[in-house]
Amino acid sequence: MLIESRPVKLTTRTGIEVRRTLPHRDLKMIGAWCFVDHFGPTPQTDGMVVAAHPHTGLQTVTWLLEGVIEHRDSIGSVQRIEPGQLNLMTAGYGISHSELSLRGPQNLHAVQLWVALPEESRAIAPAFEHRDDLPKLALNGCDATVLIGSFMGHTAKTSVFSEMVGVELRLQAGATVEIALEHEFEYGLLPLEGSIFADGELVPRSALKYMPTSTNSEARSLLVEATEPTVFLLLGGKPFGEKILMWWNFIARSNAEIVEQRQQWNEHLNSEAGLARFGKFEDQIGDWIPAPELPNITLAPR
Ligand code: MN
């Protein structure tokens, strides 16, 4: 299955063209991966100014190809992120953060991905992790960086709560690489620069090729071929096995939880429960984004 990205106008991101592939009508998740946004390259002058906003029940993964972003959050983290490094924010019970792309000569080109937390981990204390020690490996005409999980014998130290993997692969023009895959994982392949042929099928930039789990007992692999210099992400994991309720920046399991989280955020500066869940912090943006109105229906997990 090939999912074409759709352009998204985000009120929380100014001036950036965002291309989203997950969630999609026909595909909600790949393992615990539940949200895939690809943005840029765009001049940093119209980059990212995302004022304080909350998250619950998920992890955010920020990965840059170009540019610099400063992250601040309600547990006191202040972190610049540059290409080749990973920012992982575990929202758990609740956190708030802001993101600001720093002005400079480079473009901003990045992905932001969300990982759903399983039931036993979704209310844990919030945490933030910056990784500049990600494993790198060289295949034939291909450089790979393991962002999350294990890939071809190399394991990232990134904290995750379900069986999953995330890898960036860079192929030279003309390179052909055979990638080992796990039988029990479903996968998505997302070109960020250039396009790629995956088992002979063309996957254009910003589109997502989905591959379900395998029932075959033989070794499983994927043949990728690049006719131009290409950068792509391989995202995978065991099928999540739980229904989730994603609304705005929250991942919950019931409408009542969403209603409570929305209210606690919108009152977080004047309410003990809101402050306890989402905290507060100072940044250069000096503003926060209220949660929108809820739809006039009862939201259901799916
Ligand atoms: Mn966020």
Side-chain angles (χ1 to χ4, degrees):
M1 178 163 67
L2 189 68
I3 290 178
E4 286 184 25
S5 66
R6 58 189 193 279
V8 185
K9 266 279 172 218
L10 293 184
T11 54
T12 53
R13 271 163 219 165
T14 51
I16 301 183
E17 181 213 345
V18 176
R19 295 172 300 282
R20 181 168 300 163
T21 40
L22 276 191
H24 183 272
R25 191 188 56 219
D26 300 327
L27 183 66
K28 191 165 172 65
M29 302 174 79
I30 297 171
W33 298 103
C34 59
F35 183 92
V36 175
D37 268 3
H38 177 205
F39 47 94
T42 187
Q44 292 231 107
T45 44
D46 10 285
M48 203 172 179
V49 184
V50 189
H53 61 279
H55 288 289
T56 57
L58 58 88
Q59 296 175 293
T60 63
V61 175
T62 305
W63 178 252
L64 272 65
L65 279 74
E66 295 178 79
V68 185
I69 293 176
E70 184 184 83
H71 161 98
R72 289 181 186 245
D73 66 38
S74 56
I75 55 169
S77 318
V78 178
Q79 181 67 57
R80 271 170 71 101
I81 178 174
E82 297 185 14
Q85 308 170 342
L86 186 87
N87 273 5
L88 177 83
M89 185 178 78
T90 302
Y93 179 69
I95 196 168
S96 56
H97 76 137
S98 67
E99 291 154 296
L100 178 66
S101 60
L102 302 182
R103 295 188 174 202
Q106 327 92 321
N107 283 327
L108 177 65
H109 186 192
V111 288
Q112 182 151 99
L113 313 168
W114 291 0
V115 175
L117 290 170
E119 181 61 31
E120 64 274 16
S121 312
R122 69 188 184 95
I124 59 173
F128 177 80
E129 192 168 310
H130 174 78
R131 301 231 73 98
D132 55 10
D133 60 353
L134 300 169
K136 291 180 188 298
L137 58 149
L139 307 164
N140 186 24
C142 170
D143 292 312
T145 305
V146 187
L147 314 186
I148 280 178
S150 295
F151 178 72
M152 298 181 89
H154 298 257
T155 302
K157 292 176 187 163
T158 314
S159 303
V160 284
F161 298 86
S162 60
E163 285 188 64
M164 57 186 300
V165 70
V167 187
E168 185 208 74
L169 295 107
R170 291 175 177 257
L171 266 67
Q172 296 164 10
T176 299
V177 179
E178 191 171 8
I179 296 171
L181 300 181
E182 306 281 341
H183 285 100
E184 296 177 328
F185 280 17
E186 50 187 349
Y187 288 96
L189 191 155
L190 175 76
L192 305 177
E193 275 180 20
S195 55
I196 193 140
F197 287 89
D199 282 342
E201 181 188 16
L202 176 67
V203 187
R205 176 173 176 268
S206 282
L208 182 75
K209 177 185 166 72
Y210 172 70
M211 295 164 278
T213 57
S214 164
T215 49
N216 196 321
S217 60
E218 289 163 32
R220 184 182 179 198
S221 66
L222 175 73
L223 192 70
V224 292
E225 299 169 77
T227 56
E228 55 187 329
T230 300
V231 181
F232 71 94
L233 291 183
L234 181 71
L235 306 174
K238 273 196 183 168
F240 194 64
E242 282 181 60
K243 289 184 175 181
I244 63 170
L245 178 46
M246 277 178 77
W247 182 80
W248 196 49
N249 290 308
F250 305 133
I251 296 186
R253 296 294 185 275
S254 71
N255 189 71
E257 287 179 4
I258 293 288
V259 168
E260 179 181 59
Q261 292 171 13
R262 176 186 177 278
Q263 184 177 1
Q264 286 178 347
W265 170 248
N266 283 356
E267 295 173 354
H268 75 286
L269 296 178
N270 313 304
S271 111
E272 246 173 68
L275 195 63
R277 189 188 283 265
F278 296 117
K280 62 176 179 181
F281 61 99
E282 308 258 307
D283 63 15
Q284 294 176 49
I285 306 170
D287 198 6
W288 59 281
I289 303 168
E293 290 297 321
L294 282 160
N296 210 0
I297 51 160
T298 302
L299 299 166
R302 61 182 189 91

